[in-house]
């Protein structure tokens, strides 16, 4: 029996070998040529790998792409490749240009049925990269923040703050010395523009210089601090610094980019940010409110309203609300939220981790989905009644009794307006109806006048219909704000393979980045998203990134470059800090000071380092051309807002504003698609602005998510405004011909120059006094003798009125005005 059994085994093995050999022959003669001819164009390493699927290797179809393994040997129904070539699924038809011949499909079916033999020897793949979290924690930005003492320096008389010691020590080690102090006029202009985005007035300049020249040592010593405190306490401070933060949020008064859908409540978030800076809201509270404000306790209706409004941070980006595929839209928004948190608070590119572990940084794909699960458990958008459209969630805000009373009055006025319009419409319709028989019976020569009157009445009726529709749509309701809220059922999120929401992998427990953690995340309560725990982790003093990233952003706004120059990226491929001990010292100081941005800014602008001149120095330039050692102050070109707002302030035309809606939707001609039966959602078409908007600060003007900014804000497009489809902690700073041409030909600039010239001629009686006043008002310093001679020659060469306008225009277009020195 043993011999018989052994013979049977041998025969079976021989038969199996023969079948395997036949299978390989079939693969090489039939299948491989078909793969090469029909599939490699889109699914090979030499061409492209669409959907993550490579078919030029055996391991390619085994691993598969977005939908998992392409072939399950022996199973035709579960093999995606077979279903694709059969055109069984409209979403997955391959090749997309045309269906294979029946004989070709048969080849693939037979190949899979016999076990998908593949004679291609698998290439030795590079060893997959694994993330070593322990090793990753050794990178500088993931190490705990450690405060350092200001180092000893030789020139002990120079530092006025610990900050200065760190700067001076590096300079002395390199054989360099810091630049001399800037003159008082330059410093006051610098700090005024940095803190408020507005230049100092002649009165403030004279007051400051008088203090510096005072006989009292105490008054001279406190002159700088007096100016800084005045600027920090001004409303203009929040109006300036809020714009820096809005650049990190993708803020706009438009939802998405399709059909100009207006974001009628977005302004509430803008005003929240302005108020947060002006009231010196601690930055850790600022974080918690924006990530989880809807879940935080509150003690008043106003606090609850602020908390809800703060979560607009999560939904005021470029949300594509017209997507047909709502699941993809939802997952893409989650990705945007994760990426925004990563950039704004952590200086990390978390969006890179949606499809795979980070290629450079110690951040795993599981880290991404741990955070993403919190936002997937959060409701941010909803489906509207307009076709395929969605919109951003808006929450009703609590009202105070005074707010309710005011709304009741507005509602009564709105109803009265509607009744008046309806009465006017009824009278017009009656008049139009009476004209019809007159037109019919009138003599031929009299009829055109009657028809013209009828058409005018018809046009007015049409306009009234629009006004009634507008009044109904914008009838006063309880105030709302764009906000998020937790879903009724929260749960962990599954990995989406290569970002495809229909190709799902393992579930990932909600949590945070392991490499920046110091322990387990506290348990997430049942039926909560986990955003509170995420906010607490971000705002914890033990987080190695948040405080460092924040103080570096503040430093960059004041000194032109960050201590870490890649301000939005603290990863392996980013810039290392030029002064790591100083960075950690500032982060520690920031946290110890209650996360007060005003307190940190105050100390920085009162330092000797901030007071330095921006003048050129040949030796220092040779040794440190990029000024990484901070031997001088960096010069900066004013951004778009500072240019426009400064011109308004100098001309005396800057109008005070208290926030409120940026889009002038109160004008019916600015709004379209208000009918409930409309296929598309209500949208804006800005044809008319409020007259005051020409003179309001730029931060209060509409921000549109398109290529050009409308109306009074068009200067933003010329001077490197961060387009709101993007986020950026540092704006580009270009110098291109279109900027000079804009300044030379702008009606806005011409108007400001004319206003300045008119003011000069009305307030100053002689040429010398006018020139002194003009230089002090525009360039914030006294005129030099050479400038006085040249300006006087220009005035003599032109007519008096024209000369002062041209001179004002020239100064507003000058490099000295456009630069913060």
């Amino acid at each position: 029996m043993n011999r018989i059994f052994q013979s049977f085994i041998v025969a079976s093995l021989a038969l199996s070998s023969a079948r395997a050999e036949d299978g390989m022959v079939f693969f090489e003669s039939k299948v491989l040529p078909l793969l090469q001819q029909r599939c490699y164009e889109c699914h090979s390493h030499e061409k492209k790998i669409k959907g993550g699927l490579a078919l030029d290797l055996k391991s390619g179809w085994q691993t598969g792409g977005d939908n998992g393994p392409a072939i399950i040997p022996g199973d035709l129904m579960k093999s995606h490749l077979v279903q694709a070539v059969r055109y069984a699924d409209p979403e997955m038809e391959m090749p997309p240009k045309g269906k294979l011949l029946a004989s070709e499909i048969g080849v693939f079916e037979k190949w899979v049925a016999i076990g998908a033999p593949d004679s291609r020897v698998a290439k030795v793949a590079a060893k997959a990269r694994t993330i070593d979290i322990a090793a990753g924690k050794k990178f500088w930005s993931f190490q705990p923040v450690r405060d350092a003492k200001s180092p000893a320096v030789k020139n002990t008389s120079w530092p006025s703050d610990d900050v200065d010691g760190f700067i001076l020590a590096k300079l002395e080690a390199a054989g360099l010395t810091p630049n001399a102090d800037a003159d008082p006029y330059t410093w006051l202009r610098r700090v005024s523009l940095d803190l408020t985005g507005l230049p100092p007035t002649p009165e403030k300049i004279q007051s400051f210089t008088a203090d510096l020249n005072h006989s009292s040592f105490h008054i001279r010593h406190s002159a700088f601090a007096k100016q800084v405190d005045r600027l920090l306490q001004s409303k203009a401070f929040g109006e300036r610094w809020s714009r820096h933060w809005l650049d990190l949020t993708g803020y706009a008064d438009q939802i998405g980019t399709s059909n100009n859908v207006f974001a009628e409540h977005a302004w509430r978030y803008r005003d929240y940010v302005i108020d947060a800076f002006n009231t010196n809201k601690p930055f850790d509270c600022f974080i918690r409110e924006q990530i989880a404000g809807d879940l935080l306790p509150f003690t008043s209706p106003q606090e609850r309203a602020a908390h809800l409004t703060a979560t607009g941070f999560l939904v005021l980006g470029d949300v594509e609300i017209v997507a047909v595929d709502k699941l993809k839209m939802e997952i893409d928004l989650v990705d945007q939220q994760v990426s925004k948190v990563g950039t704004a608070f952590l200086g990390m590119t978390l969006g890179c981790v949606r499809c795979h572990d980070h290629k450079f940084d110690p951040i795993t794909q599981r880290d991404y989905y741990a955070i993403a699960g919190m936002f997937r458990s959060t409701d941010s958008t909803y489906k509207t009644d307009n076709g395929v459209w969605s919109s951003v969630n808006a929450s009703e805000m609590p009202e105070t009794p005074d707010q309710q009373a005011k709304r009741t009055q507005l509602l009564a006025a709105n109803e009265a307006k509607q009744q008046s319009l309806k009465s006017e419409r009824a009278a017009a319709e009656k008049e139009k109806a009476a004209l019809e028989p007159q037109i019919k019976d009138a003599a031929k020569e009299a009829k055109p006048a009657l028809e013209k009157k009828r058409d005018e009445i018809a046009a007015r009726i049409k306009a009234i219909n629009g006004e009634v529709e507008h009044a109904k749509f914008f009838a006063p309701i309880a105030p709302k704000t764009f906000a998020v809220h937790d879903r009724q059922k929260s749960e962990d999120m599954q990995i989406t393979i290569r970002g495809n929401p229909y190709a799902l992998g393992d579930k990932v427990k909600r949590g945070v980045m392991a490499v920046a953690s110091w322990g387990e995340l506290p348990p997430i309560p049942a039926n909560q998203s986990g955003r509170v725990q995420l906010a607490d982790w971000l705002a914890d003093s033990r987080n190695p990134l948040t405080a460092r990233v924040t103080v570096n952003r503040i430093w960059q706004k004041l000194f032109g470059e960050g201590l870490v120059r890649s301000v939005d990226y603290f990863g392996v491929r980013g810039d290392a800090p030029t002064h790591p001990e100083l960075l950690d010292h500032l982060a520690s100081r920031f946290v110890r000071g209650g996360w007060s941005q005003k307190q940190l800014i105050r100390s920085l602008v009162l330092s000797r380092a901030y007071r330095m001149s921006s003048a050129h120095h040949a030796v220092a330039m040779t040794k440190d051309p990029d000024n990484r050692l901070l031997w001088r102050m960096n010069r900066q070109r004013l951004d778009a807002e500072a240019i426009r707002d400064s011109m308004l302030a100098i001309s005396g035309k800057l109008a005070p504003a208290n926030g409120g809606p940026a889009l002038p939707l109160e004008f019916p001609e600015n709004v379209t698609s208000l009918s409930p039966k409309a296929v598309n959602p209500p949208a804006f078409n800005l044809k008319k602005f409020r007259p005051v908007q020409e003179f309001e600060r730029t931060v209060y003007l509409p921000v549109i998510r398109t290529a050009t900014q409308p109306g009074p804000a068009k200067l933003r497009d010329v001077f490197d405004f961060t387009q709101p489809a993007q986020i950026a902690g540092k704006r580009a700073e270009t110098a291109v011909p279109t900027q000079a041409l804009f300044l030379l030909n702008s009606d806005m600039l011409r108007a400001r120059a004319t206003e300045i010239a008119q003011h000069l001629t009305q307030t100053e009686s002689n040429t010398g006094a006018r020139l002194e006043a003009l230089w002090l008002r525009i360039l914030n310093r006294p005129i030099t003798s050479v400038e006085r001679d040249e300006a006087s020659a220009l005035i003599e060469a032109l007519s008096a009125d024209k000369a002062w306008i041209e001179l004002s225009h020239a100064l507003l277009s000058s490099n000295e005005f456009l630069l913060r020195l």
Side-chain angles (χ1 to χ4, degrees), residues 484-530:
V484 302
H485 58 264
D486 274 1
R487 288 184 168 178
Q488 290 184 346
K489 183 179 179 181
S490 300
E491 59 182 348
D492 297 332
M493 186 174 177
Q494 287 179 272
I495 290 174
T496 61
I497 300 171
R498 293 182 62 83
N500 183 347
Y502 295 99
L504 301 177
D506 297 336
K507 272 193 175 183
V508 178
K509 181 182 178 182
R510 279 167 286 165
V512 293
M513 280 170 47
V515 74
S517 297
W518 49 92
E520 287 292 322
L521 193 72
I524 298 173
N527 295 324
Q528 277 200 15
S529 61

Side-chain angles (χ1 to χ4, degrees), residues 7-172:
S7 300
F8 175 76
I9 293 296
V10 170
S12 296
L13 289 172
L15 182 60
S16 297
S17 178
R19 286 176 177 171
E21 186 176 344
D22 289 344
M24 291 301 182
V25 171
F26 176 74
F27 171 78
E28 291 176 356
S29 64
K30 300 293 185 180
V31 180
L32 184 57
L34 192 57
L35 287 170
Q36 293 169 337
Q37 295 166 14
R38 295 292 201 169
C39 305
Y40 278 18
E41 181 181 353
C42 297
H43 298 284
S44 69
H45 288 83
E46 292 186 2
K47 296 291 181 67
K48 60 185 75 170
I49 304 179
K50 284 193 173 181
L53 175 61
L55 293 175
D56 56 343
L57 294 174
K58 181 177 181 178
S59 60
W61 60 258
Q62 288 175 326
T63 303
D66 294 351
N67 298 307
I71 296 173
I72 305 299
D75 193 328
L76 300 182
M77 296 306 296
K78 291 184 179 179
S79 294
H80 294 307
L81 184 143
V82 174
Q83 297 305 308
V85 298
R86 284 177 172 176
Y87 277 37
D89 183 353
E91 298 294 325
M92 190 171 60
E93 296 178 343
M94 297 295 163
K97 295 179 181 178
K99 191 174 181 180
L100 297 178
L101 299 174
S103 59
E104 293 174 321
I105 296 173
V107 168
F108 282 131
E109 291 173 336
K110 180 179 177 180
W111 178 45
V112 172
I114 64 175
D118 192 334
S119 62
R120 294 174 293 182
V121 177
K123 296 178 181 177
V124 178
K127 185 178 180 181
R129 176 176 179 265
T130 58
I131 302 292
D132 186 334
I133 298 299
K137 285 177 176 285
K138 296 178 182 178
F139 186 68
W140 73 265
S141 67
F142 301 122
Q143 293 180 23
V145 174
R146 295 183 177 88
D147 197 1
K149 291 184 178 180
S150 186
V153 294
K154 297 175 185 176
N155 183 5
T156 56
S157 65
W158 190 77
S160 65
D161 185 279
D162 285 347
V163 168
D164 300 320
F166 289 100
I167 301 297
L168 184 57
K170 285 234 173 189
L171 289 172
E172 289 180 341

